[in-house]
Amino acid sequence: MAQSVCGHTSLWGRLVLVLAEPPAPMIDLLVENARIVSPTGVTRGSIAIADGTIESVGDATAVTTARRTIDASGMVALPGAVDIHTHMHDPAVFPPGIDFQSETAAATAGGVTTVVELPTQTPITTPAAAHRKIRHCSERAHVDFGLVAGNVQETGIDVAGLQSVGIPELKAFTADPYRAAEETLLELFATVAETDTTVRVHCEHQPILDHARDSVSGTDPSVYPDSRPIEAELAAIERIGRLASYTDCPVHIVHISSARGVALGNRIAERTDVPVTLETCPQYLAFTRDALAAKGPYCKVNPPLRSSGERDRLWEFVQDGSIDCIATDHFPSYRADRQSGWDDIWEPPAGLPGVETLLEWLISEGVHDGRISWERACALVCANPARRAGLYPRKGSLRVGTDADLVLIDRTTHTVTPEQYAFVGDWTPFSGREWTARVATVIAGGEIVATDHTVHSDPGRGRFLPR
């Protein structure tokens, strides 16, 4: 400290001390009085946002000015959800009006601020094809996104080339119509094992599916689950586990529909030295095969819905941590395009929309109904999927310095109807459910991008996330 000849602090010294203190950052957005969910609990506090990132979390007394303030009293603040399994953009499959623009708008409305897009029918198995999809999706994206390559049906995939583009995961099927031959899977697993990449696998054993389909007669929706029995899922999971163990290839098993499938996946993870991660979807926790009687083609999905016993045990695996994450396997369509399934369940494609309803479903039927805690919900749809995608803590957390992606949840009772949502397909399998959670405000990159399912962002706001 500067001193005068008399031993007292000089004016110059005081000026130096004042000037040396860094100026307080200008806060663009301050969320006050929220119940903030973290991995360790729920605490009341504030979140200050500057330049698209989180500046502080907790005590807001240090914030003197903010350009905009949200009073979140009575609301819960979660990180923006990360849906790592979506099908949103394929002109060869989806009709006009349904594309990456419409579906990422629905994601935004529902508080899903990051998605990982998987191939549907059009293969993305070369760096050139990947670059094309990145360009097409970037022009339309409302949310940040990553990509998965696939569907792998041939040998000689340029895994390193795809990785250089920012795509560290590949998708393969053990069932038609994108089934990979045994030798193709073996080569893929061996190649991936030599890189920092992962294979995602749709697990259903085609010979069992063929036999089951031949044994099923009729066109009523209620017969559909019999054509794709649990044993097909189990046989494929076991086969994939053996390949992963033999090649030392990390695998992620997508949309597990049964508790028995999870139990088998856990046993495989315990006996191998490579990561084996498990994913399930809202439909397998919300519905049973009995729902097909009332909802018919609007609950047609692959793998199909299971018994109430499997559903209940699946919830137990969600509770105890056996399931790593919940993703939607979002597959959009127009309501009218599924109507034919009432007369012939084999006619419309399988797949359900779910990205916009993910958070409201999980909080209503998971947290508010007492099945899981807020911390577990955050792990399932925020932190763990972000880790699985290689994006944590930038995504999936509310840490200082990370992307300011968050959602405010209001506790309010409402009956689910399609009219409440931004999804252009005009339907949801959850129609008629009584829910107690509503996505009130969505913030992405520090901007308010949606309120009460009305989207305020523009296409192209989202960015491709090389991983």
Side-chain angles (χ1 to χ4, degrees), residues 324-342:
D324 294 287
C325 59
I326 293 176
T328 63
D329 192 15
H330 178 83
F331 185 95
S333 61
Y334 290 116
R335 179 183 183 87
D337 293 341
R338 305 195 69 81
Q339 191 67 18
S340 62
W342 283 113

Side-chain angles (χ1 to χ4, degrees), residues 11 35 55 57 76 85 94 184 189 199 276 292 318 329 337 340 365 443-444 450:
L11 176 62
R35 294 173 58 210
E55 184 69 28
V57 179
V76 173
H85 190 162
F94 301 122
T184 300
F189 277 45
V199 179
V276 177
L292 285 155
V318 167
D329 192 15
D337 293 341
S340 62
E365 300 190 14
I443 298 167

Side-chain angles (χ1 to χ4, degrees), residues 206-346:
Q206 189 60 44
I208 293 178
L209 296 182
D210 290 339
H211 185 272
R213 178 66 182 92
D214 289 343
S215 303
V216 172
S217 60
T219 61
D220 186 79
S222 63
V223 305
Y224 189 73
D226 296 327
S227 71
R228 306 182 85 97
I230 288 178
E231 288 76 12
E233 182 171 72
L234 300 179
I237 291 174
E238 179 65 37
R239 172 189 172 206
I240 290 303
R242 296 294 180 187
L243 285 177
S245 179
Y246 172 68
T247 59
D248 291 328
C249 175
V251 296
H252 178 74
I253 302 175
V254 301
H255 54 48
I256 299 178
S257 67
S258 65
R260 280 184 276 173
V262 175
L264 177 57
N266 280 327
R267 290 196 295 272
I268 291 169
E270 291 169 358
R271 74 185 185 217
T272 61
D273 295 326
V274 294
V276 177
T277 51
L278 310 179
E279 162 200 310
T280 193
C281 304
Q283 50 266 29
Y284 304 119
L285 295 161
F287 301 105
T288 70
R289 60 176 295 159
D290 294 339
L292 285 155
K295 294 183 178 288
Y298 301 100
C299 268
K300 180 183 177 182
V301 63
N302 292 338
L305 303 177
R306 305 303 186 186
S307 69
S308 59
E310 287 291 336
R311 189 268 311 274
D312 294 344
R313 288 191 295 273
L314 194 60
W315 265 114
E316 293 176 6
F317 283 133
V318 167
Q319 294 161 355
D320 70 15
S322 297
I323 290 285
D324 294 287
C325 59
I326 293 176
T328 63
D329 192 15
H330 178 83
F331 185 95
S333 61
Y334 290 116
R335 179 183 183 87
D337 293 341
R338 305 195 69 81
Q339 191 67 18
S340 62
W342 283 113
D343 297 323
D344 185 355
I345 192 59
W346 312 105

